[in-house]
Amino acid sequence: MPSSDHKFESAITNLKKERLRITEPRKALLQLLVEAPKPLSAEELHTTLGPGKFDLVTVYRNLEAFENAGIVNRIPTESGKSLYELNAERHHYHHIICRKCHRTEKLDTCEVAKLEKLASELGYSDVTHVLELYGVCESCQ
Amino acid sequence: MPSSDHKFESAITNLKKERLRITEPRKALLQLLVEAPKPLSAEELHTTLGPGKFDLVTVYRNLEAFENAGIVNRIPTESGKSLYELNAERHHYHHIICRKCHRTEKLDTCEVAKLEKLASELGYSDVTHVLELYGVCESCQ
DNA sequence: GTCCGTGCAAATCATTTGCACTTCT
DNA sequence: AGAAGTGCAAATGATTTGCACGGAC
């Protein structure tokens, strides 16, 4: 398993590869994303960085840049808000999100391959998917 | 396969069961949803109904009511906009959406059962999922 | 007659854009 | 230097809310 440090370095390398500049807000954001045990919203990232440290707009713009660079994945949720997570190339998984407390856990299998194949057969290219599970966790029932 | 008429009646019955009133806008909306070959946005439903016929706010409020009544499903998309479709209890499937032209097609399998089971085993109740595939269709490539 | 549903206007929430200024490279 | 990134204010787009009126039961 790659260490956090390694993931961080690898993200930085990707930034360079895309000719994106290494700035303070970007380093801070990547650091957070690398350590995050679950996907975070732009708002959460912003406040976790510390009040007034960087602008929320900067967070949004960088998340967009990261997404285009393939460094992070954007996950639209039931509530309309998006979550962001580091694009973990080596392993693909999904989350179960509690509808009440928003607690989130990993589910480390993905069975969507069959559907993606179907889509390719229909002529679609660059097929990706967004899958989120929702439920009510034990302590919220 | 249930006819459109039957689906419509069944939706009306559900409305009654939930003690929701049968109004013009509701009938019109259900009629559209019953006939729709693909999930539609609130905006699309509103304009399809005809300009000035009913208020967009009414569309939103009714879609919310329908969702709570289990009559429709809400699907958050990559773009942040939500789509709505009749809750087809008998058969569960997903869609592939073209990133460029937004053309949408059904994929009539769902392999997520395994993940839902996993979530239940973790103690979650009322587990549901949102799965959308994205790609670029043949004519847009 | 009640209470729910509707329309209209205005509010809210997440996200985006314009512009002048600052910082990477 | 020159392009790319940032902050602040203001715009946008989707969805929600408040309130007075009208229609379903």
Side-chain angles (χ1 to χ4, degrees):
Chain A
M1 59 179 78
S3 71
S4 289
D5 285 8
H6 176 271
K7 286 199 266 183
F8 180 78
E9 291 311 329
S10 144
I12 295 286
T13 305
N14 284 332
L15 279 187
K16 289 181 181 157
K17 207 171 294 174
E18 301 279 333
R19 289 197 219 67
L20 293 173
R21 294 180 180 174
I22 316 299
T23 64
E24 284 311 312
R26 285 182 180 170
K27 282 192 281 186
L29 275 172
L30 288 175
Q31 194 60 57
L32 274 187
L33 288 166
V34 157
E35 293 164 355
K38 65 182 182 74
L40 299 168
S41 67
E43 194 74 48
E44 286 170 329
L45 286 163
H46 179 240
T47 61
T48 306
L49 283 173
K53 199 82 189 298
F54 305 111
D55 198 295
L56 177 58
V57 176
T58 299
V59 173
Y60 275 109
R61 279 196 273 230
N62 285 329
L63 288 173
E64 192 191 350
F66 293 169
E67 197 194 359
N68 292 334
I71 297 174
V72 308
N73 295 328
R74 175 194 207 145
I75 307 169
T77 70
E78 262 186 347
S79 75
K81 207 180 287 202
S82 292
L83 303 180
Y84 300 83
E85 66 176 358
L86 214 61
N87 182 355
E89 329 219 341
R90 55 213 154 351
H91 189 50
H92 181 81
Y93 56 81
H94 295 282
H95 304 91
I96 167 79
I97 303 171
C98 176
R99 261 190 267 273
K100 300 201 174 160
C101 68
H102 303 105
R103 168 177 141 182
T104 301
E105 299 184 60
K106 277 185 200 169
L107 299 175
D108 65 354
T109 339
C110 175
E111 300 296 324
V112 188
K114 210 171 286 185
L115 281 172
E116 290 203 345
K117 194 167 147 245
L118 232 162
S120 307
E121 285 165 8
L122 286 171
Y124 286 78
S125 68
D126 301 297
V127 176
T128 62
H129 66 268
V130 167
L131 168 60
E132 296 304 316
L133 302 194
Y134 296 90
V136 181
C137 75
E138 214 146 9
S139 35
C140 284
Q141 282 169 31
Chain B
M1 58 181 79
S3 71
S4 290
D5 284 8
H6 175 270
K7 286 199 265 183
F8 180 79
E9 291 311 329
S10 145
I12 295 286
T13 304
N14 284 333
L15 279 186
K16 289 181 182 158
K17 206 170 295 172
E18 301 279 333
R19 289 196 217 69
L20 294 172
R21 293 179 180 173
I22 317 298
T23 65
E24 284 311 312
R26 286 182 179 168
K27 283 191 281 184
L29 275 172
L30 287 175
Q31 194 60 57
L32 275 187
L33 288 166
V34 158
E35 292 164 355
K38 65 183 184 74
L40 299 169
S41 68
E43 193 75 48
E44 286 170 328
L45 286 163
H46 179 241
T47 60
T48 306
L49 283 173
K53 198 81 188 297
F54 304 111
D55 198 294
L56 177 57
V57 176
T58 299
V59 173
Y60 275 109
R61 279 196 273 231
N62 285 328
L63 288 172
E64 193 191 349
F66 293 170
E67 196 193 359
N68 292 333
I71 297 174
V72 308
N73 294 328
R74 175 195 206 145
I75 307 169
T77 69
E78 263 186 347
S79 75
K81 210 180 285 201
S82 291
L83 303 181
Y84 300 84
E85 66 176 359
L86 214 61
N87 182 356
E89 331 220 340
R90 52 212 153 347
H91 190 48
H92 182 81
Y93 56 81
H94 295 283
H95 304 92
I96 167 80
I97 304 171
C98 176
R99 260 190 267 274
K100 299 201 176 161
C101 67
H102 302 105
R103 167 177 140 182
T104 302
E105 298 183 61
K106 277 184 199 166
L107 299 174
D108 65 356
T109 338
C110 174
E111 299 297 324
V112 187
K114 211 170 287 185
L115 281 172
E116 290 202 345
K117 194 165 145 248
L118 233 162
S120 307
E121 286 166 8
L122 286 171
Y124 286 78
S125 68
D126 300 298
V127 177
T128 61
H129 65 268
V130 168
L131 168 60
E132 295 305 315
L133 303 195
Y134 296 90
V136 181
C137 75
E138 213 146 10
S139 34
C140 285
Q141 282 168 32

